[in-house]
Amino acid sequence: MSRDRIQIAGAEVAVVGGSIAGCATALAAHRAGAGRVTIHERTTGHLADRGVGLAVHNARYAELAAAGYMDAAMPWVQLTTRRWYVRDGSAPLGRQVGVLPFPFRSYCWGPLWQELRRRLPEDTAFRPGVRVAAVSHTEDGAALHLDGIDGVDGVDGIEDGDSDESDESGEGNNRGGEGSGERQRTGAGRRTERFDLVIGADGYRSVVRDTAFPGVRPGYAGYLAWRGAVPADRLTELGLPGLPADPWAEEDCIYGVFPGGHVIIYRIPDGRGGRRANWVLYTAPPAGLDLGLDTPTSLPPGTLTDALYAHLAHVTDELLPPYWGGLMRLTPRQEVFIQPMYDFTAPSYTTGRLLLAGDAATVARPHTGAGAVKALQDAAALEAALHALPERPDALAAYGAERGATGRTMVELGRRLGRFLVQDTPDWRTLDQAGVEAAWAAADGSGAFGGRELKS
């Protein structure tokens, strides 16, 4: 194939990153007629066990189901209502200050990823434990410069690369790297492979984006997301005086708000027929800590320092209502992890034979309720663009322009909601139903909460 005109039929395609965005874009390439797709994933853990929660707006789910990227076989919980609580002395649930609609379906990351992974054809080459050290343009494609590939061929792995974690071995229907790009060994443990097209789905620290747009880096927003989950059957341990017999309906999403932050709590499926209570706390770290957050990073489970854990305890015990704070404290310290809040969007999603998707292209703060939605929408839009290439040579440029515009919209929404919910919070104690409705409408602005409509 020439560099000027891409032909997807029979093309050798590499996907860098194997999480939700990576699996979805690999599926998009297969459906569009690619000859062989190889997914490179740097880590080697157990992705299917990831218990992180996410939510998908009902309308966005319908669009993605119609496009073939979601369906009812993926375990989910229907949410309908968002209840806002403030601390009110010893009242276990606090005082409810507002109720808003919340038409979302909640998912557990691991089972959702598993369902996407199963949809990939058997000849998809999935390579865990492979670090893409660099990417370069070639005369008629792009090259990956790989580390850590010895002994990987022939392993059917399952991995993540869009955010942080691990891999799971399968039953060996992947024949490793057969036919997956032209190879050149460049030294011990490193080689170069050429592909017709490279899709960067390798998260906010993307090596593909570094090649496509050097110098584009996520910016730290000044606060953190603290995350955890707890089996729902453990909630009976919270025997607080005055607690109602049924304190929390399954369809309710809880916003526990306080000066300088809030927590979101909702149920998710656990992948085994049960439920987990998923929580995400947004607030700034204690002053004076040098966490080195200006360079994109994360604090995985087991790395919570004493100072950070003490701050979490202060929020749960002093700023949130007792029931919601107590629920969070049921999560063992070693299972709590922290995601510093970053945001950015690349100037384009395409350049030459390099494409970007998911967090590699745009990171919006999670307040938007649309992170997974945007990754899946990117895949659906990419599939349509690849199908259109024979008649429209500019289809990939159009993909970049349309998805880039959506990305910029979501970044701006995330910043507005971040100011409202964390950085410049109102005096929640003074708000009533009308006040919450007005404050939310002002912060949401464009009405893009939950994601923009997917353009066909």
Side-chain angles (χ1 to χ4, degrees), residues 140-311:
D140 59 351
L144 301 186
H145 307 278
L146 308 175
D147 284 341
I149 57 179
D150 290 339
V152 171
D153 287 359
V155 176
D156 182 17
I158 298 179
E159 245 316 71
D160 166 53
D162 197 33
S163 17
D164 31 45
E165 281 170 280
S166 358
D167 131 279
E168 172 182 299
S169 294
E171 290 300 321
N173 60 10
N174 176 355
R175 288 162 292 284
E178 294 178 15
S180 56
E182 300 169 11
R183 301 174 178 181
Q184 178 182 352
R185 184 75 64 171
T186 59
R190 173 173 289 193
R191 71 181 176 207
T192 296
E193 297 186 2
R194 179 212 158 273
F195 294 87
D196 297 315
L197 197 65
V198 171
I199 301 171
D202 48 338
Y204 65 101
R205 293 177 283 189
S206 170
V207 67
V208 181
R209 187 186 66 247
D210 282 347
T211 299
F213 305 105
V216 175
R217 297 286 186 276
Y220 176 51
Y223 60 98
L224 311 174
W226 319 56
R227 304 196 65 154
V230 62
D233 57 13
R234 288 199 61 199
L235 300 183
T236 56
E237 298 175 22
L238 300 173
L240 301 171
L243 186 67
D246 186 13
W248 178 25
E250 178 165 291
E251 65 271 16
D252 285 354
C253 172
I254 304 303
Y255 272 46
V257 293
F258 57 90
H262 69 293
V263 66
I264 300 175
I265 307 173
Y266 55 88
R267 287 181 177 86
I268 60 173
D270 65 5
R272 298 179 293 274
R275 299 285 188 261
R276 291 173 66 82
N278 178 76
W279 58 266
V280 188
L281 169 71
Y282 299 96
T283 193
L289 293 185
D290 183 10
L291 299 176
L293 301 180
D294 289 335
T295 299
T297 187
S298 62
L299 285 76
T303 62
L304 204 62
T305 66
D306 289 343
L308 289 172
Y309 188 68
H311 189 63

Side-chain angles (χ1 to χ4, degrees), residues 349-430:
Y349 280 32
T350 62
T351 181
R353 296 299 182 89
L354 306 181
L355 307 178
L356 301 177
D359 286 353
T362 296
V363 171
R365 302 181 203 177
H367 314 300
T368 60
V373 163
K374 187 193 165 299
L376 294 171
Q377 286 182 333
D378 286 351
L382 178 59
E383 180 186 348
L386 292 172
H387 273 300
L389 275 176
E391 291 77 33
R392 287 184 53 209
D394 66 340
L396 289 179
Y399 157 81
E402 190 275 321
R403 297 309 300 161
T406 295
R408 288 188 291 275
T409 296
M410 300 315 295
V411 167
E412 288 305 314
L413 174 61
R415 289 171 179 170
R416 287 198 307 272
L417 292 177
R419 287 191 291 271
F420 166 53
L421 291 166
V422 181
Q423 296 166 304
D424 188 19
T425 54
D427 184 350
W428 297 107
R429 296 168 301 173
T430 68

Side-chain angles (χ1 to χ4, degrees), residues 72-94:
M74 299 171 173
W76 55 285
V77 175
Q78 181 64 63
L79 306 173
T80 64
T81 306
R82 182 168 30 158
R83 299 187 183 276
W84 302 66
Y85 288 96
V86 296
R87 187 177 179 94
D88 186 21
S90 61
L93 300 180

Side-chain angles (χ1 to χ4, degrees), residues 30-48:
H30 274 295
R31 289 176 173 174
R36 173 76 169 178
V37 177
T38 303
I39 302 173
H40 302 82
E41 175 47 50
R42 70 183 182 275
T43 52
T44 55
H46 290 276
L47 265 194

